Amino acid sequence: MENFQLAPSFFHIQLNLIWTILHVHLRSKEESGGLQYYISLLGRVRLGTEHPDYCTLVSFATQVLVRHIMLYWETVCGTSLSSLAKAKHSPEEMKAFAIVIYHKYISSHALDQITGQSADSQDSVL
């Protein structure tokens, strides 16, 4: 009874979540939005196995997420990130850019537009 746990540890929850994300969004190499496309593009061969290495998978997911965020900033601002930094916009202007990014790419409304489905027609967990 020394090692009795009432719930899985945070590590195991993260592990299962990242594996689920991989399997749901894997798709094929030919689809540019699927994770398999990015896996082959970045040469992450170890992610093609049935149970990929956790650290490699987290590193990969972080890389994809950060690059997408950088792409959103460049798209909304209409300039490169280095040019954006040199422009020294005010905090209010930067906040306005962030709000546009949120509403255009991250919010549930943006997801509905991308998938072409309303939130009511999608499956939900709760």
PDB file of all heavy atoms in Angstrom, residues 95-107:
ATOM      1  N   LYS A  95      -1.299  44.439 -28.179  1.00  0.00           N
ATOM      2  CA  LYS A  95      -2.491  43.763 -27.662  1.00  0.00           C
ATOM      3  C   LYS A  95      -3.546  43.639 -28.759  1.00  0.00           C
ATOM      4  O   LYS A  95      -4.204  42.612 -28.879  1.00  0.00           O
ATOM      5  CB  LYS A  95      -3.052  44.525 -26.469  1.00  0.00           C
ATOM      6  CG  LYS A  95      -4.226  43.845 -25.823  1.00  0.00           C
ATOM      7  CD  LYS A  95      -4.716  44.602 -24.602  1.00  0.00           C
ATOM      8  CE  LYS A  95      -5.925  43.923 -24.007  1.00  0.00           C
ATOM      9  NZ  LYS A  95      -6.453  44.668 -22.860  1.00  0.00           N
ATOM     10  N   ALA A  96      -3.688  44.683 -29.576  1.00  0.00           N
ATOM     11  CA  ALA A  96      -4.647  44.635 -30.691  1.00  0.00           C
ATOM     12  C   ALA A  96      -4.266  43.530 -31.680  1.00  0.00           C
ATOM     13  O   ALA A  96      -5.145  42.793 -32.166  1.00  0.00           O
ATOM     14  CB  ALA A  96      -4.708  45.988 -31.390  1.00  0.00           C
ATOM     15  N   PHE A  97      -2.966  43.388 -31.975  1.00  0.00           N
ATOM     16  CA  PHE A  97      -2.506  42.296 -32.847  1.00  0.00           C
ATOM     17  C   PHE A  97      -2.859  40.941 -32.227  1.00  0.00           C
ATOM     18  O   PHE A  97      -3.337  40.034 -32.908  1.00  0.00           O
ATOM     19  CB  PHE A  97      -0.997  42.366 -33.078  1.00  0.00           C
ATOM     20  CG  PHE A  97      -0.542  43.475 -33.981  1.00  0.00           C
ATOM     21  CD1 PHE A  97       0.625  44.159 -33.700  1.00  0.00           C
ATOM     22  CD2 PHE A  97      -1.252  43.835 -35.115  1.00  0.00           C
ATOM     23  CE1 PHE A  97       1.076  45.179 -34.532  1.00  0.00           C
ATOM     24  CE2 PHE A  97      -0.817  44.847 -35.953  1.00  0.00           C
ATOM     25  CZ  PHE A  97       0.341  45.532 -35.653  1.00  0.00           C
ATOM     26  N   ALA A  98      -2.604  40.801 -30.932  1.00  0.00           N
ATOM     27  CA  ALA A  98      -2.865  39.536 -30.234  1.00  0.00           C
ATOM     28  C   ALA A  98      -4.353  39.190 -30.253  1.00  0.00           C
ATOM     29  O   ALA A  98      -4.724  38.019 -30.434  1.00  0.00           O
ATOM     30  CB  ALA A  98      -2.354  39.615 -28.800  1.00  0.00           C
ATOM     31  N   ILE A  99      -5.202  40.195 -30.105  1.00  0.00           N
ATOM     32  CA  ILE A  99      -6.650  39.957 -30.139  1.00  0.00           C
ATOM     33  C   ILE A  99      -7.084  39.478 -31.520  1.00  0.00           C
ATOM     34  O   ILE A  99      -7.890  38.554 -31.650  1.00  0.00           O
ATOM     35  CB  ILE A  99      -7.413  41.229 -29.701  1.00  0.00           C
ATOM     36  CG1 ILE A  99      -7.206  41.443 -28.198  1.00  0.00           C
ATOM     37  CG2 ILE A  99      -8.891  41.137 -30.038  1.00  0.00           C
ATOM     38  CD1 ILE A  99      -7.711  42.775 -27.680  1.00  0.00           C
ATOM     39  N   VAL A 100      -6.519  40.076 -32.563  1.00  0.00           N
ATOM     40  CA  VAL A 100      -6.834  39.637 -33.931  1.00  0.00           C
ATOM     41  C   VAL A 100      -6.381  38.194 -34.130  1.00  0.00           C
ATOM     42  O   VAL A 100      -7.121  37.373 -34.695  1.00  0.00           O
ATOM     43  CB  VAL A 100      -6.179  40.569 -34.974  1.00  0.00           C
ATOM     44  CG1 VAL A 100      -6.289  39.988 -36.368  1.00  0.00           C
ATOM     45  CG2 VAL A 100      -6.788  41.952 -34.918  1.00  0.00           C
ATOM     46  N   ILE A 101      -5.184  37.861 -33.668  1.00  0.00           N
ATOM     47  CA  ILE A 101      -4.678  36.479 -33.780  1.00  0.00           C
ATOM     48  C   ILE A 101      -5.614  35.520 -33.067  1.00  0.00           C
ATOM     49  O   ILE A 101      -5.977  34.470 -33.603  1.00  0.00           O
ATOM     50  CB  ILE A 101      -3.245  36.376 -33.211  1.00  0.00           C
ATOM     51  CG1 ILE A 101      -2.260  37.095 -34.129  1.00  0.00           C
ATOM     52  CG2 ILE A 101      -2.837  34.921 -33.016  1.00  0.00           C
ATOM     53  CD1 ILE A 101      -0.885  37.267 -33.543  1.00  0.00           C
ATOM     54  N   TYR A 102      -6.029  35.871 -31.866  1.00  0.00           N
ATOM     55  CA  TYR A 102      -6.917  35.005 -31.094  1.00  0.00           C
ATOM     56  C   TYR A 102      -8.226  34.758 -31.844  1.00  0.00           C
ATOM     57  O   TYR A 102      -8.659  33.615 -32.008  1.00  0.00           O
ATOM     58  CB  TYR A 102      -7.205  35.607 -29.717  1.00  0.00           C
ATOM     59  CG  TYR A 102      -8.226  34.821 -28.956  1.00  0.00           C
ATOM     60  CD1 TYR A 102      -7.891  33.615 -28.351  1.00  0.00           C
ATOM     61  CD2 TYR A 102      -9.552  35.242 -28.877  1.00  0.00           C
ATOM     62  CE1 TYR A 102      -8.835  32.859 -27.677  1.00  0.00           C
ATOM     63  CE2 TYR A 102     -10.506  34.502 -28.213  1.00  0.00           C
ATOM     64  CZ  TYR A 102     -10.141  33.315 -27.612  1.00  0.00           C
ATOM     65  OH  TYR A 102     -11.077  32.570 -26.961  1.00  0.00           O
ATOM     66  N   HIS A 103      -8.858  35.821 -32.301  1.00  0.00           N
ATOM     67  CA  HIS A 103     -10.158  35.673 -32.956  1.00  0.00           C
ATOM     68  C   HIS A 103     -10.055  35.020 -34.337  1.00  0.00           C
ATOM     69  O   HIS A 103     -10.975  34.321 -34.752  1.00  0.00           O
ATOM     70  CB  HIS A 103     -10.861  37.025 -33.064  1.00  0.00           C
ATOM     71  CG  HIS A 103     -11.358  37.516 -31.743  1.00  0.00           C
ATOM     72  ND1 HIS A 103     -12.328  36.872 -31.012  1.00  0.00           N
ATOM     73  CD2 HIS A 103     -10.991  38.580 -30.991  1.00  0.00           C
ATOM     74  CE1 HIS A 103     -12.554  37.498 -29.894  1.00  0.00           C
ATOM     75  NE2 HIS A 103     -11.751  38.552 -29.847  1.00  0.00           N
ATOM     76  N   LYS A 104      -8.951  35.213 -35.027  1.00  0.00           N
ATOM     77  CA  LYS A 104      -8.818  34.667 -36.380  1.00  0.00           C
ATOM     78  C   LYS A 104      -8.322  33.221 -36.406  1.00  0.00           C
ATOM     79  O   LYS A 104      -8.695  32.446 -37.290  1.00  0.00           O
ATOM     80  CB  LYS A 104      -7.864  35.548 -37.191  1.00  0.00           C
ATOM     81  CG  LYS A 104      -7.832  35.217 -38.654  1.00  0.00           C
ATOM     82  CD  LYS A 104      -7.055  36.241 -39.440  1.00  0.00           C
ATOM     83  CE  LYS A 104      -7.071  35.912 -40.910  1.00  0.00           C
ATOM     84  NZ  LYS A 104      -6.343  36.887 -41.697  1.00  0.00           N
ATOM     85  N   TYR A 105      -7.484  32.837 -35.427  1.00  0.00           N
ATOM     86  CA  TYR A 105      -6.843  31.518 -35.501  1.00  0.00           C
ATOM     87  C   TYR A 105      -7.093  30.592 -34.308  1.00  0.00           C
ATOM     88  O   TYR A 105      -6.923  29.385 -34.441  1.00  0.00           O
ATOM     89  CB  TYR A 105      -5.322  31.675 -35.651  1.00  0.00           C
ATOM     90  CG  TYR A 105      -4.921  32.396 -36.906  1.00  0.00           C
ATOM     91  CD1 TYR A 105      -4.471  33.710 -36.849  1.00  0.00           C
ATOM     92  CD2 TYR A 105      -4.996  31.776 -38.143  1.00  0.00           C
ATOM     93  CE1 TYR A 105      -4.100  34.379 -38.003  1.00  0.00           C
ATOM     94  CE2 TYR A 105      -4.627  32.443 -39.297  1.00  0.00           C
ATOM     95  CZ  TYR A 105      -4.178  33.743 -39.225  1.00  0.00           C
ATOM     96  OH  TYR A 105      -3.810  34.406 -40.359  1.00  0.00           O
ATOM     97  N   ILE A 106      -7.433  31.126 -33.145  1.00  0.00           N
ATOM     98  CA  ILE A 106      -7.418  30.297 -31.944  1.00  0.00           C
ATOM     99  C   ILE A 106      -8.791  30.068 -31.324  1.00  0.00           C
ATOM    100  O   ILE A 106      -9.042  29.014 -30.767  1.00  0.00           O
ATOM    101  CB  ILE A 106      -6.456  30.909 -30.896  1.00  0.00           C
ATOM    102  CG1 ILE A 106      -5.058  30.997 -31.496  1.00  0.00           C
ATOM    103  CG2 ILE A 106      -6.433  30.097 -29.616  1.00  0.00           C
ATOM    104  CD1 ILE A 106      -4.081  31.786 -30.685  1.00  0.00           C
ATOM    105  N   SER A 107      -9.681  31.001 -31.417  1.00  0.00           N
ATOM    106  CA  SER A 107     -10.977  30.915 -30.737  1.00  0.00           C
ATOM    107  C   SER A 107     -11.831  29.779 -31.294  1.00  0.00           C
ATOM    108  O   SER A 107     -11.564  29.244 -32.366  1.00  0.00           O
ATOM    109  CB  SER A 107     -11.734  32.238 -30.874  1.00  0.00           C
ATOM    110  OG  SER A 107     -12.123  32.432 -32.223  1.00  0.00           O
TER     111      SER A 107
END
